[in-house]
mmCIF file of all heavy atoms in Angstrom:
data_model
loop_
_atom_site.group_PDB
_atom_site.id
_atom_site.type_symbol
_atom_site.label_atom_id
_atom_site.label_comp_id
_atom_site.label_asym_id
_atom_site.label_seq_id
_atom_site.Cartn_x
_atom_site.Cartn_y
_atom_site.Cartn_z
ATOM 1 N N MET A 255 -11.698 4.155 9.698
ATOM 2 C CA MET A 255 -12.739 4.964 9.067
ATOM 3 C C MET A 255 -12.395 6.447 9.120
ATOM 4 O O MET A 255 -12.620 7.186 8.157
ATOM 5 C CB MET A 255 -14.088 4.710 9.753
ATOM 6 C CG MET A 255 -14.670 3.343 9.475
ATOM 7 S SD MET A 255 -16.173 3.017 10.437
ATOM 8 C CE MET A 255 -17.230 4.326 9.873
ATOM 9 N N SER A 256 -11.823 6.902 10.225
ATOM 10 C CA SER A 256 -11.473 8.321 10.352
ATOM 11 C C SER A 256 -10.414 8.725 9.331
ATOM 12 O O SER A 256 -10.387 9.876 8.874
ATOM 13 C CB SER A 256 -10.986 8.626 11.771
ATOM 14 O OG SER A 256 -9.681 8.107 12.003
ATOM 15 N N ILE A 257 -9.545 7.782 8.962
ATOM 16 C CA ILE A 257 -8.537 8.057 7.931
ATOM 17 C C ILE A 257 -9.182 8.065 6.553
ATOM 18 O O ILE A 257 -8.957 8.956 5.734
ATOM 19 C CB ILE A 257 -7.412 7.006 7.992
ATOM 20 C CG1 ILE A 257 -6.677 7.075 9.320
ATOM 21 C CG2 ILE A 257 -6.429 7.193 6.830
ATOM 22 C CD1 ILE A 257 -5.683 5.950 9.531
ATOM 23 N N LEU A 258 -10.018 7.059 6.292
ATOM 24 C CA LEU A 258 -10.658 6.951 4.981
ATOM 25 C C LEU A 258 -11.555 8.154 4.683
ATOM 26 O O LEU A 258 -11.718 8.544 3.532
ATOM 27 C CB LEU A 258 -11.471 5.658 4.919
ATOM 28 C CG LEU A 258 -10.662 4.356 4.899
ATOM 29 C CD1 LEU A 258 -11.576 3.157 5.112
ATOM 30 C CD2 LEU A 258 -9.890 4.209 3.602
ATOM 31 N N GLU A 259 -12.128 8.741 5.711
ATOM 32 C CA GLU A 259 -12.993 9.901 5.517
ATOM 33 C C GLU A 259 -12.235 11.121 5.006
ATOM 34 O O GLU A 259 -12.837 12.042 4.452
ATOM 35 C CB GLU A 259 -13.711 10.238 6.819
ATOM 36 C CG GLU A 259 -14.812 9.236 7.185
ATOM 37 C CD GLU A 259 -15.332 9.437 8.596
ATOM 38 O OE1 GLU A 259 -14.731 10.266 9.335
ATOM 39 O OE2 GLU A 259 -16.319 8.772 8.965
ATOM 40 N N LYS A 260 -10.918 11.110 5.169
ATOM 41 C CA LYS A 260 -10.098 12.268 4.787
ATOM 42 C C LYS A 260 -9.490 12.137 3.395
ATOM 43 O O LYS A 260 -8.902 13.083 2.881
ATOM 44 C CB LYS A 260 -8.969 12.462 5.804
ATOM 45 C CG LYS A 260 -9.444 12.722 7.217
ATOM 46 C CD LYS A 260 -8.277 12.738 8.190
ATOM 47 C CE LYS A 260 -8.745 12.898 9.617
ATOM 48 N NZ LYS A 260 -7.607 12.819 10.581
ATOM 49 N N ILE A 261 -9.629 10.964 2.788
ATOM 50 C CA ILE A 261 -9.003 10.726 1.480
ATOM 51 C C ILE A 261 -10.050 10.148 0.535
ATOM 52 O O ILE A 261 -11.197 9.882 0.928
ATOM 53 C CB ILE A 261 -7.761 9.807 1.600
ATOM 54 C CG1 ILE A 261 -8.120 8.462 2.276
ATOM 55 C CG2 ILE A 261 -6.684 10.501 2.429
ATOM 56 C CD1 ILE A 261 -8.401 7.360 1.358
ATOM 57 N N SER A 262 -9.650 9.913 -0.718
ATOM 58 C CA SER A 262 -10.629 9.374 -1.670
ATOM 59 C C SER A 262 -10.182 8.072 -2.319
ATOM 60 O O SER A 262 -11.013 7.232 -2.659
ATOM 61 C CB SER A 262 -10.933 10.397 -2.763
ATOM 62 O OG SER A 262 -9.760 10.714 -3.493
ATOM 63 N N ASN A 263 -8.873 7.877 -2.519
ATOM 64 C CA ASN A 263 -8.403 6.702 -3.259
ATOM 65 C C ASN A 263 -7.269 6.005 -2.515
ATOM 66 O O ASN A 263 -6.711 6.551 -1.547
ATOM 67 C CB ASN A 263 -7.975 7.104 -4.674
ATOM 68 C CG ASN A 263 -6.838 8.105 -4.671
ATOM 69 O OD1 ASN A 263 -5.760 7.835 -4.163
ATOM 70 N ND2 ASN A 263 -7.078 9.282 -5.249
ATOM 71 N N PRO A 264 -6.898 4.785 -2.936
ATOM 72 C CA PRO A 264 -5.868 4.029 -2.208
ATOM 73 C C PRO A 264 -4.491 4.668 -2.235
ATOM 74 O O PRO A 264 -3.694 4.465 -1.314
ATOM 75 C CB PRO A 264 -5.863 2.657 -2.898
ATOM 76 C CG PRO A 264 -6.535 2.872 -4.216
ATOM 77 C CD PRO A 264 -7.520 3.968 -4.002
ATOM 78 N N TRP A 265 -4.185 5.450 -3.283
ATOM 79 C CA TRP A 265 -2.871 6.092 -3.347
ATOM 80 C C TRP A 265 -2.764 7.196 -2.310
ATOM 81 O O TRP A 265 -1.722 7.374 -1.692
ATOM 82 C CB TRP A 265 -2.621 6.617 -4.756
ATOM 83 C CG TRP A 265 -2.642 5.511 -5.753
ATOM 84 C CD1 TRP A 265 -1.639 4.615 -6.015
ATOM 85 C CD2 TRP A 265 -3.731 5.141 -6.594
ATOM 86 N NE1 TRP A 265 -2.035 3.710 -6.968
ATOM 87 C CE2 TRP A 265 -3.318 4.005 -7.356
ATOM 88 C CE3 TRP A 265 -5.015 5.654 -6.785
ATOM 89 C CZ2 TRP A 265 -4.140 3.383 -8.284
ATOM 90 C CZ3 TRP A 265 -5.837 5.040 -7.708
ATOM 91 C CH2 TRP A 265 -5.400 3.919 -8.450
ATOM 92 N N GLU A 266 -3.854 7.913 -2.096
ATOM 93 C CA GLU A 266 -3.857 8.919 -1.035
ATOM 94 C C GLU A 266 -3.750 8.249 0.330
ATOM 95 O O GLU A 266 -3.083 8.769 1.236
ATOM 96 C CB GLU A 266 -5.139 9.759 -1.099
ATOM 97 C CG GLU A 266 -5.210 10.698 -2.289
ATOM 98 C CD GLU A 266 -6.497 11.492 -2.336
ATOM 99 O OE1 GLU A 266 -7.407 11.217 -1.516
ATOM 100 O OE2 GLU A 266 -6.608 12.373 -3.187
ATOM 101 N N PHE A 267 -4.384 7.098 0.472
ATOM 102 C CA PHE A 267 -4.322 6.358 1.740
ATOM 103 C C PHE A 267 -2.877 6.004 2.076
ATOM 104 O O PHE A 267 -2.406 6.229 3.193
ATOM 105 C CB PHE A 267 -5.178 5.096 1.624
ATOM 106 C CG PHE A 267 -5.236 4.263 2.873
ATOM 107 C CD1 PHE A 267 -6.046 4.647 3.928
ATOM 108 C CD2 PHE A 267 -4.503 3.091 2.978
ATOM 109 C CE1 PHE A 267 -6.110 3.878 5.090
ATOM 110 C CE2 PHE A 267 -4.559 2.320 4.123
ATOM 111 C CZ PHE A 267 -5.365 2.713 5.182
ATOM 112 N N GLU A 268 -2.163 5.451 1.113
ATOM 113 C CA GLU A 268 -0.773 5.058 1.369
ATOM 114 C C GLU A 268 0.178 6.252 1.366
ATOM 115 O O GLU A 268 1.317 6.132 1.806
ATOM 116 C CB GLU A 268 -0.334 4.024 0.336
ATOM 117 C CG GLU A 268 -1.084 2.707 0.460
ATOM 118 C CD GLU A 268 -0.378 1.560 -0.222
ATOM 119 O OE1 GLU A 268 0.237 1.799 -1.285
ATOM 120 O OE2 GLU A 268 -0.449 0.431 0.309
ATOM 121 N N GLY A 269 -0.296 7.400 0.872
ATOM 122 C CA GLY A 269 0.553 8.579 0.832
ATOM 123 C C GLY A 269 0.499 9.420 2.087
ATOM 124 O O GLY A 269 1.188 10.441 2.189
ATOM 125 N N ILE A 270 -0.328 9.008 3.075
ATOM 126 C CA ILE A 270 -0.414 9.759 4.321
ATOM 127 C C ILE A 270 0.946 9.774 4.994
ATOM 128 O O ILE A 270 1.557 8.726 5.243
ATOM 129 C CB ILE A 270 -1.477 9.143 5.256
ATOM 130 C CG1 ILE A 270 -2.862 9.255 4.631
ATOM 131 C CG2 ILE A 270 -1.442 9.817 6.627
ATOM 132 C CD1 ILE A 270 -3.934 8.528 5.411
ATOM 133 N N ALA A 271 1.441 10.956 5.293
ATOM 134 C CA ALA A 271 2.808 11.089 5.812
ATOM 135 C C ALA A 271 2.927 10.569 7.239
ATOM 136 O O ALA A 271 3.826 9.784 7.551
ATOM 137 C CB ALA A 271 3.246 12.549 5.742
ATOM 138 N N VAL A 272 2.039 10.997 8.106
ATOM 139 C CA VAL A 272 2.136 10.633 9.516
ATOM 140 C C VAL A 272 0.753 10.309 10.055
ATOM 141 O O VAL A 272 -0.203 11.063 9.832
ATOM 142 C CB VAL A 272 2.752 11.779 10.357
ATOM 143 C CG1 VAL A 272 2.804 11.381 11.829
ATOM 144 C CG2 VAL A 272 4.150 12.114 9.856
ATOM 145 N N LEU A 273 0.639 9.190 10.756
ATOM 146 C CA LEU A 273 -0.602 8.857 11.449
ATOM 147 C C LEU A 273 -0.531 9.402 12.864
ATOM 148 O O LEU A 273 0.537 9.428 13.480
ATOM 149 C CB LEU A 273 -0.800 7.336 11.483
ATOM 150 C CG LEU A 273 -0.968 6.635 10.140
ATOM 151 C CD1 LEU A 273 -1.168 5.137 10.355
ATOM 152 C CD2 LEU A 273 -2.135 7.213 9.356
ATOM 153 N N ASP A 274 -1.681 9.813 13.390
ATOM 154 C CA ASP A 274 -1.675 10.363 14.745
ATOM 155 C C ASP A 274 -1.800 9.289 15.819
ATOM 156 O O ASP A 274 -1.780 9.595 17.014
ATOM 157 C CB ASP A 274 -2.764 11.423 14.911
ATOM 158 C CG ASP A 274 -4.145 10.916 14.540
ATOM 159 O OD1 ASP A 274 -4.270 9.713 14.247
ATOM 160 O OD2 ASP A 274 -5.086 11.723 14.527
ATOM 161 N N LYS A 275 -1.921 8.034 15.400
ATOM 162 C CA LYS A 275 -1.844 6.914 16.337
ATOM 163 C C LYS A 275 -0.648 6.041 15.964
ATOM 164 O O LYS A 275 -0.158 6.092 14.836
ATOM 165 C CB LYS A 275 -3.134 6.096 16.322
ATOM 166 C CG LYS A 275 -4.285 6.772 17.047
ATOM 167 C CD LYS A 275 -5.384 5.772 17.394
ATOM 168 C CE LYS A 275 -6.448 6.402 18.259
ATOM 169 N NZ LYS A 275 -7.410 5.396 18.785
ATOM 170 N N ASP A 276 -0.207 5.228 16.914
ATOM 171 C CA ASP A 276 0.964 4.389 16.683
ATOM 172 C C ASP A 276 0.637 3.209 15.785
ATOM 173 O O ASP A 276 -0.496 2.715 15.749
ATOM 174 C CB ASP A 276 1.521 3.870 18.013
ATOM 175 C CG ASP A 276 2.189 4.969 18.830
ATOM 176 O OD1 ASP A 276 2.739 5.909 18.219
ATOM 177 O OD2 ASP A 276 2.163 4.880 20.069
ATOM 178 N N VAL A 277 1.656 2.760 15.069
ATOM 179 C CA VAL A 277 1.585 1.547 14.253
ATOM 180 C C VAL A 277 2.630 0.579 14.781
ATOM 181 O O VAL A 277 3.806 0.933 14.920
ATOM 182 C CB VAL A 277 1.859 1.847 12.767
ATOM 183 C CG1 VAL A 277 1.835 0.556 11.949
ATOM 184 C CG2 VAL A 277 0.842 2.838 12.221
ATOM 185 N N ILE A 278 2.196 -0.622 15.095
ATOM 186 C CA ILE A 278 3.122 -1.625 15.607
ATOM 187 C C ILE A 278 3.253 -2.767 14.601
ATOM 188 O O ILE A 278 2.526 -2.838 13.612
ATOM 189 C CB ILE A 278 2.676 -2.175 16.983
ATOM 190 C CG1 ILE A 278 1.303 -2.868 16.869
ATOM 191 C CG2 ILE A 278 2.636 -1.044 18.009
ATOM 192 C CD1 ILE A 278 0.867 -3.564 18.158
ATOM 193 N N GLY A 279 4.173 -3.661 14.880
ATOM 194 C CA GLY A 279 4.382 -4.831 14.028
ATOM 195 C C GLY A 279 5.347 -5.774 14.704
ATOM 196 O O GLY A 279 5.793 -5.534 15.831
ATOM 197 N N SER A 280 5.677 -6.846 14.016
ATOM 198 C CA SER A 280 6.591 -7.839 14.558
ATOM 199 C C SER A 280 7.653 -8.190 13.530
ATOM 200 O O SER A 280 7.341 -8.398 12.357
ATOM 201 C CB SER A 280 5.838 -9.115 14.962
ATOM 202 O OG SER A 280 6.750 -10.132 15.340
ATOM 203 N N LEU A 281 8.895 -8.249 13.978
ATOM 204 C CA LEU A 281 9.976 -8.682 13.091
ATOM 205 C C LEU A 281 9.815 -10.143 12.714
ATOM 206 O O LEU A 281 10.437 -10.617 11.755
ATOM 207 C CB LEU A 281 11.326 -8.453 13.774
ATOM 208 C CG LEU A 281 11.674 -7.000 14.123
ATOM 209 C CD1 LEU A 281 13.045 -6.924 14.794
ATOM 210 C CD2 LEU A 281 11.649 -6.120 12.885
ATOM 211 N N SER A 282 8.980 -10.867 13.459
ATOM 212 C CA SER A 282 8.728 -12.273 13.132
ATOM 213 C C SER A 282 7.827 -12.426 11.912
ATOM 214 O O SER A 282 7.721 -13.523 11.362
ATOM 215 C CB SER A 282 8.077 -12.986 14.331
ATOM 216 O OG SER A 282 8.924 -12.942 15.460
ATOM 217 N N VAL A 283 7.171 -11.348 11.506
ATOM 218 C CA VAL A 283 6.268 -11.313 10.338
ATOM 219 C C VAL A 283 5.215 -12.426 10.450
ATOM 220 O O VAL A 283 5.386 -13.519 9.910
ATOM 221 C CB VAL A 283 7.047 -11.432 9.014
ATOM 222 C CG1 VAL A 283 6.112 -11.176 7.835
ATOM 223 C CG2 VAL A 283 8.217 -10.471 8.969
ATOM 224 N N PRO A 284 4.110 -12.161 11.150
ATOM 225 C CA PRO A 284 3.118 -13.216 11.392
ATOM 226 C C PRO A 284 2.384 -13.732 10.169
ATOM 227 O O PRO A 284 1.867 -14.845 10.179
ATOM 228 C CB PRO A 284 2.139 -12.542 12.359
ATOM 229 C CG PRO A 284 2.341 -11.084 12.156
ATOM 230 C CD PRO A 284 3.784 -10.912 11.823
ATOM 231 N N LEU A 285 2.332 -12.923 9.080
ATOM 232 C CA LEU A 285 1.602 -13.360 7.892
ATOM 233 C C LEU A 285 2.417 -13.007 6.653
ATOM 234 O O LEU A 285 2.724 -11.840 6.417
ATOM 235 C CB LEU A 285 0.230 -12.685 7.820
ATOM 236 C CG LEU A 285 -0.720 -13.202 6.744
ATOM 237 C CD1 LEU A 285 -1.054 -14.676 6.976
ATOM 238 C CD2 LEU A 285 -1.991 -12.363 6.708
ATOM 239 N N LYS A 286 2.748 -14.015 5.873
ATOM 240 C CA LYS A 286 3.558 -13.784 4.677
ATOM 241 C C LYS A 286 2.679 -13.913 3.433
ATOM 242 O O LYS A 286 1.827 -14.790 3.338
ATOM 243 C CB LYS A 286 4.725 -14.777 4.627
ATOM 244 C CG LYS A 286 5.706 -14.559 5.779
ATOM 245 C CD LYS A 286 6.926 -15.459 5.669
ATOM 246 C CE LYS A 286 7.887 -15.175 6.810
ATOM 247 N NZ LYS A 286 9.106 -16.012 6.746
ATOM 248 N N TYR A 287 2.931 -13.021 2.488
ATOM 249 C CA TYR A 287 2.106 -12.978 1.282
ATOM 250 C C TYR A 287 2.899 -12.351 0.147
ATOM 251 O O TYR A 287 3.959 -11.751 0.345
ATOM 252 C CB TYR A 287 0.831 -12.173 1.536
ATOM 253 C CG TYR A 287 1.041 -10.882 2.272
ATOM 254 C CD1 TYR A 287 1.442 -9.726 1.613
ATOM 255 C CD2 TYR A 287 0.840 -10.809 3.654
ATOM 256 C CE1 TYR A 287 1.644 -8.539 2.281
ATOM 257 C CE2 TYR A 287 1.046 -9.622 4.337
ATOM 258 C CZ TYR A 287 1.440 -8.492 3.651
ATOM 259 O OH TYR A 287 1.643 -7.328 4.329
ATOM 260 N N ARG A 288 2.353 -12.512 -1.051
ATOM 261 C CA ARG A 288 2.946 -11.935 -2.263
ATOM 262 C C ARG A 288 1.921 -11.027 -2.921
ATOM 263 O O ARG A 288 0.726 -11.277 -2.849
ATOM 264 C CB ARG A 288 3.330 -13.030 -3.263
ATOM 265 C CG ARG A 288 4.338 -14.013 -2.783
ATOM 266 C CD ARG A 288 4.741 -14.939 -3.930
ATOM 267 N NE ARG A 288 3.729 -15.942 -4.199
ATOM 268 C CZ ARG A 288 3.689 -17.126 -3.607
ATOM 269 N NH1 ARG A 288 4.578 -17.425 -2.692
ATOM 270 N NH2 ARG A 288 2.770 -18.006 -3.928
ATOM 271 N N SER A 289 2.408 -10.016 -3.590
ATOM 272 C CA SER A 289 1.512 -9.129 -4.322
ATOM 273 C C SER A 289 1.342 -9.640 -5.741
ATOM 274 O O SER A 289 2.295 -10.049 -6.396
ATOM 275 C CB SER A 289 2.081 -7.710 -4.357
ATOM 276 O OG SER A 289 1.292 -6.889 -5.184
ATOM 277 N N GLU A 290 0.089 -9.638 -6.209
ATOM 278 C CA GLU A 290 -0.213 -9.969 -7.592
ATOM 279 C C GLU A 290 -0.777 -8.719 -8.249
ATOM 280 O O GLU A 290 -1.763 -8.158 -7.769
ATOM 281 C CB GLU A 290 -1.230 -11.114 -7.681
ATOM 282 C CG GLU A 290 -0.733 -12.409 -7.056
ATOM 283 C CD GLU A 290 0.438 -13.012 -7.797
ATOM 284 O OE1 GLU A 290 0.779 -12.533 -8.895
ATOM 285 O OE2 GLU A 290 1.021 -13.968 -7.277
ATOM 286 N N GLU A 291 -0.168 -8.273 -9.329
ATOM 287 C CA GLU A 291 -0.493 -6.964 -9.882
ATOM 288 C C GLU A 291 -1.403 -7.025 -11.115
ATOM 289 O O GLU A 291 -1.416 -6.133 -11.941
ATOM 290 C CB GLU A 291 0.793 -6.214 -10.219
ATOM 291 C CG GLU A 291 1.643 -5.956 -8.983
ATOM 292 C CD GLU A 291 2.920 -5.218 -9.321
ATOM 293 O OE1 GLU A 291 3.265 -5.126 -10.510
ATOM 294 O OE2 GLU A 291 3.569 -4.743 -8.380
ATOM 295 N N HIS A 292 -2.191 -8.101 -11.212
ATOM 296 C CA HIS A 292 -3.179 -8.200 -12.299
ATOM 297 C C HIS A 292 -2.539 -8.070 -13.684
ATOM 298 O O HIS A 292 -3.041 -7.393 -14.567
ATOM 299 C CB HIS A 292 -4.267 -7.140 -12.131
ATOM 300 C CG HIS A 292 -4.813 -7.082 -10.754
ATOM 301 N ND1 HIS A 292 -5.348 -8.171 -10.124
ATOM 302 C CD2 HIS A 292 -4.879 -6.068 -9.863
ATOM 303 C CE1 HIS A 292 -5.747 -7.832 -8.917
ATOM 304 N NE2 HIS A 292 -5.461 -6.572 -8.735
ATOM 305 N N THR A 293 -1.381 -8.716 -13.855
ATOM 306 C CA THR A 293 -0.734 -8.704 -15.163
ATOM 307 C C THR A 293 -1.453 -9.667 -16.094
ATOM 308 O O THR A 293 -2.284 -10.481 -15.679
ATOM 309 C CB THR A 293 0.732 -9.158 -15.037
ATOM 310 O OG1 THR A 293 0.755 -10.490 -14.528
ATOM 311 C CG2 THR A 293 1.503 -8.250 -14.098
ATOM 312 N N SER A 294 -1.126 -9.627 -17.378
ATOM 313 C CA SER A 294 -1.765 -10.526 -18.335
ATOM 314 C C SER A 294 -1.450 -11.979 -17.999
ATOM 315 O O SER A 294 -2.248 -12.870 -18.228
ATOM 316 C CB SER A 294 -1.295 -10.191 -19.747
ATOM 317 O OG SER A 294 0.116 -10.302 -19.850
ATOM 318 N N GLU A 295 -0.261 -12.212 -17.418
ATOM 319 C CA GLU A 295 0.089 -13.581 -17.035
ATOM 320 C C GLU A 295 -0.863 -14.092 -15.971
ATOM 321 O O GLU A 295 -1.314 -15.237 -16.002
ATOM 322 C CB GLU A 295 1.528 -13.616 -16.500
ATOM 323 C CG GLU A 295 1.976 -15.016 -16.074
ATOM 324 C CD GLU A 295 3.348 -15.001 -15.416
ATOM 325 O OE1 GLU A 295 3.741 -13.950 -14.902
ATOM 326 O OE2 GLU A 295 4.002 -16.053 -15.431
ATOM 327 N N LEU A 296 -1.207 -13.230 -15.016
ATOM 328 C CA LEU A 296 -2.087 -13.632 -13.932
ATOM 329 C C LEU A 296 -3.481 -13.990 -14.433
ATOM 330 O O LEU A 296 -4.150 -14.825 -13.854
ATOM 331 C CB LEU A 296 -2.189 -12.490 -12.904
ATOM 332 C CG LEU A 296 -3.156 -12.700 -11.730
ATOM 333 C CD1 LEU A 296 -2.713 -13.888 -10.902
ATOM 334 C CD2 LEU A 296 -3.255 -11.451 -10.888
ATOM 335 N N GLN A 297 -3.904 -13.377 -15.500
ATOM 336 C CA GLN A 297 -5.259 -13.592 -15.970
ATOM 337 C C GLN A 297 -5.458 -14.988 -16.566
ATOM 338 O O GLN A 297 -6.584 -15.438 -16.697
ATOM 339 C CB GLN A 297 -5.629 -12.547 -17.039
ATOM 340 C CG GLN A 297 -5.266 -11.118 -16.702
ATOM 341 C CD GLN A 297 -5.732 -10.692 -15.325
ATOM 342 O OE1 GLN A 297 -6.731 -11.214 -14.845
ATOM 343 N NE2 GLN A 297 -5.027 -9.783 -14.702
ATOM 344 N N SER A 298 -4.395 -15.665 -16.965
ATOM 345 C CA SER A 298 -4.554 -16.933 -17.656
ATOM 346 C C SER A 298 -4.940 -18.052 -16.698
ATOM 347 O O SER A 298 -4.447 -18.147 -15.587
ATOM 348 C CB SER A 298 -3.250 -17.314 -18.375
ATOM 349 O OG SER A 298 -2.267 -17.696 -17.462
ATOM 350 N N ARG A 299 -5.850 -18.901 -17.143
ATOM 351 C CA ARG A 299 -6.276 -20.039 -16.326
ATOM 352 C C ARG A 299 -5.105 -20.971 -16.046
ATOM 353 O O ARG A 299 -4.977 -21.517 -14.954
ATOM 354 C CB ARG A 299 -7.396 -20.794 -17.049
ATOM 355 C CG ARG A 299 -7.980 -21.949 -16.249
ATOM 356 C CD ARG A 299 -9.110 -22.595 -17.019
ATOM 357 N NE ARG A 299 -10.191 -21.679 -17.261
ATOM 358 C CZ ARG A 299 -11.173 -21.444 -16.393
ATOM 359 N NH1 ARG A 299 -11.187 -22.063 -15.237
ATOM 360 N NH2 ARG A 299 -12.134 -20.599 -16.695
#
């Protein structure tokens, strides 16, 4: 919430250069997913 209060849109959110808290992760990648970009192909039943 403290980050969201400083920006307005998702591009600004991802454009933040440095966070003042640490970000961790795992090389094992606990959750795998694909991005769907709302193309015309995606819209078809």
Side-chain angles (χ1 to χ4, degrees):
M255 289 174 60
S256 73
I257 297 172
L258 291 169
E259 288 169 353
K260 299 173 184 176
I261 56 96
S262 61
N263 61 60
W265 299 281
E266 290 179 353
F267 182 78
E268 294 199 324
I270 296 173
V272 178
L273 297 181
D274 55 5
K275 285 198 173 189
D276 289 329
V277 178
I278 62 174
S280 173
L281 298 180
S282 300
V283 189
L285 189 62
K286 295 185 178 181
Y287 45 83
R288 299 187 283 271
S289 174
E290 299 294 351
E291 298 180 347
H292 312 304
T293 61
S294 59
E295 180 186 23
L296 176 62
Q297 314 310 331
S298 72
R299 184 178 298 275

